[in-house]
Amino acid sequence: MQLKQDILLGKSIEELTNWVEERGQPNYRGKQLHQWLYHKGIKSLEEVSVFPKNWRKEIADYPVGRSSINQLIVAPDKTRKYLLNLQDGLIIETVGIPTSKRLTVCVSSQVGCPMKCDFCATGKGDFKRNLTCAEIIDQILTVQEDFQQRVSHVVFMGMGEPLLNIKEIIKAIKIINQDIGIGQRSLTISTVGIPEKIIEFANHKLQITFAVSLHASNQILREKLIPTSKFYTLSSLINDCKKYVEITKRRLTFEYILLEEVNDSLEQAVELAKLLKGFQNHVNLIPYNPIEEVKYKRSSPQRIKAFCYQLEKYGITTSIRYSRGLETHAACGQLRASYHK
């Protein structure tokens, strides 16, 4: 189900200009509305002080399309995790991750997730619907306002599978780039892989970072960890990844969550290296964030380093990505699941 509602957030400057002109206002008010919507972060049209007072009263009830913060948790490392109330009463998560040089927002693309990954808190909950472009943009504006700092990077690594919501994702990328002003090379899309969708996405020839979640070096284990992968074999996925690189001329990232004594052996590292040999890619190794619903454990630092070394030994460019905010329901979907409980 897709939420249908005529709201202002998610409209381009041309669409906003048409909107004001349809209401008898001069076209320059479209540019003013665009500025207040995407750079001042208004939640109501009554806030647009450059509009005539009488007209502001007239349009006061027209929906801007902003969410409200249901819950905010701040970790010791200053990472902030938000539960946001959507217009229809559903709840999503988003995360603000600050460093000395950047502010990254981890956005959700769906309410819940239908992929049912066995190790994922979001996958253990119910899938409700896709998010609209406006609901994706709202997450960025919410974090930006709360931090009182400009967002520099956006990663689609929150709740949901982005390629199952590709139309709204493409629209959101355009708005993030052209209207909010964040460069495409500062955006990352993460997917477990959907048949035909990787090539469809590649054909847009965006300059983003594209990340594919593998989490296994063979088909049997991948089906155990990601049940839906039985409809999209590992060999087909890798072939599509190679085509993605050919079409976009950009390096592809593979994400690999390390689960103790499940997918972190040296033999599996060699198997993974052979699978990824021969085209432009990079592997992000991610230590697991445990959740209550399953018994998977995080690999030890020694096993993580050994796995990394083995990949590099076979010529695979590899890095280890440690999660932020571990004390604060770090795994995606944990905070929302805790709220519903």
Side-chain angles (χ1 to χ4, degrees), residues 221-235:
L221 179 57
R222 196 163 193 267
E223 284 185 25
K224 179 185 175 185
L225 298 177
I226 308 171
T228 54
S229 65
K230 64 185 176 184
F231 304 110
Y232 193 21
T233 64
L234 195 51
S235 59

Side-chain angles (χ1 to χ4, degrees), residues 37-69:
L37 192 63
Y38 292 111
H39 298 281
K40 292 182 182 286
I42 58 166
K43 296 192 175 181
S44 164
L45 290 175
E46 288 183 291
E47 298 173 45
V48 189
S49 59
V50 294
F51 285 174
K53 188 179 287 186
N54 288 341
W55 192 50
R56 267 187 279 159
K57 287 181 180 178
E58 220 177 280
I59 60 174
D61 293 332
Y62 197 93
V64 169
R66 298 299 307 278
S67 68
S68 60
I69 297 176

Side-chain angles (χ1 to χ4, degrees), residues 79-99:
T79 295
R80 301 182 191 182
K81 180 167 263 195
Y82 307 79
L83 282 185
L84 302 181
N85 293 318
L86 303 180
Q87 297 297 314
D88 59 357
L90 295 176
I91 298 278
I92 59 168
E93 287 184 13
T94 193
V95 184
I97 308 166
T99 68

Side-chain angles (χ1 to χ4, degrees), residues 34 36 48 68 74 76 81 89 102 109 111 141 151 154-155 158 177 203 213 218 261 296 329 332:
H34 182 271
W36 283 72
V48 189
S68 60
V74 183
K81 180 167 263 195
R102 62 169 65 176
S109 56
V111 184
L141 297 181
V151 168
V154 178
V155 295
N177 182 217
N203 285 328
S213 297
N218 60 69
E261 296 185 0
Y296 294 118
H329 298 88
C332 184

Side-chain angles (χ1 to χ4, degrees), residues 122-284:
T122 302
K124 296 298 179 184
D126 292 334
F127 169 71
K128 298 296 185 183
R129 64 172 174 84
N130 286 335
L131 294 182
T132 64
C133 169
E135 289 168 331
I136 294 167
I137 298 302
D138 169 74
Q139 296 173 66
I140 299 166
L141 297 181
T142 296
V143 173
Q144 194 160 258
E145 290 156 20
D146 188 51
F147 274 88
Q148 290 293 292
Q149 179 183 340
R150 187 178 180 278
V151 168
S152 59
H153 292 73
V154 178
V155 295
F156 288 76
M157 294 181 177
M159 296 166 52
E161 167 50 62
L163 294 193
L164 288 176
N165 191 16
I166 198 166
K167 182 180 176 184
E168 296 301 304
I169 294 295
I170 295 297
K171 284 171 61 179
I173 289 172
K174 183 177 179 181
I175 295 290
I176 293 167
N177 182 217
Q178 297 180 7
D179 299 281
I180 297 179
I182 301 173
Q184 284 192 20
R185 294 190 178 213
S186 297
L187 310 180
T188 300
I189 300 283
S190 178
T191 176
V192 299
I194 305 296
E196 301 179 4
K197 293 296 183 181
I198 289 178
I199 304 305
E200 180 184 342
F201 194 81
N203 285 328
H204 287 279
K205 296 186 178 178
L206 301 171
Q207 294 296 299
I208 64 156
T209 297
F210 191 71
V212 175
S213 297
L214 278 185
H215 311 320
S217 56
N218 60 69
Q219 180 65 20
I220 293 172
L221 179 57
R222 196 163 193 267
E223 284 185 25
K224 179 185 175 185
L225 298 177
I226 308 171
T228 54
S229 65
K230 64 185 176 184
F231 304 110
Y232 193 21
T233 64
L234 195 51
S235 59
S236 296
L237 173 60
I238 296 300
N239 284 336
D240 284 350
C241 289
K242 290 177 180 178
K243 289 175 188 173
Y244 179 91
V245 173
E246 289 174 12
I247 293 168
T248 64
K249 312 300 182 193
R250 290 186 60 77
R251 183 178 75 168
L252 188 143
T253 296
F254 288 104
E255 294 173 323
Y256 195 98
I257 289 177
L258 287 161
L259 308 167
E260 186 179 65
E261 296 185 0
V262 174
N263 66 352
D264 66 347
S265 72
L266 296 183
E267 292 77 16
Q268 287 164 323
V270 173
E271 190 174 37
L272 180 62
K274 290 178 179 178
L275 184 70
L276 304 184
K277 201 76 175 170
F279 68 107
Q280 195 178 17
N281 63 69
H282 169 265
V283 173
N284 254 338

Side-chain angles (χ1 to χ4, degrees), residues 298-314:
R298 171 183 291 219
S299 299
S300 68
Q302 294 79 11
R303 288 177 76 91
I304 292 170
K305 289 177 183 176
F307 197 96
C308 180
Y309 174 78
Q310 195 76 345
L311 287 177
E312 290 177 337
K313 181 179 171 183
Y314 277 80

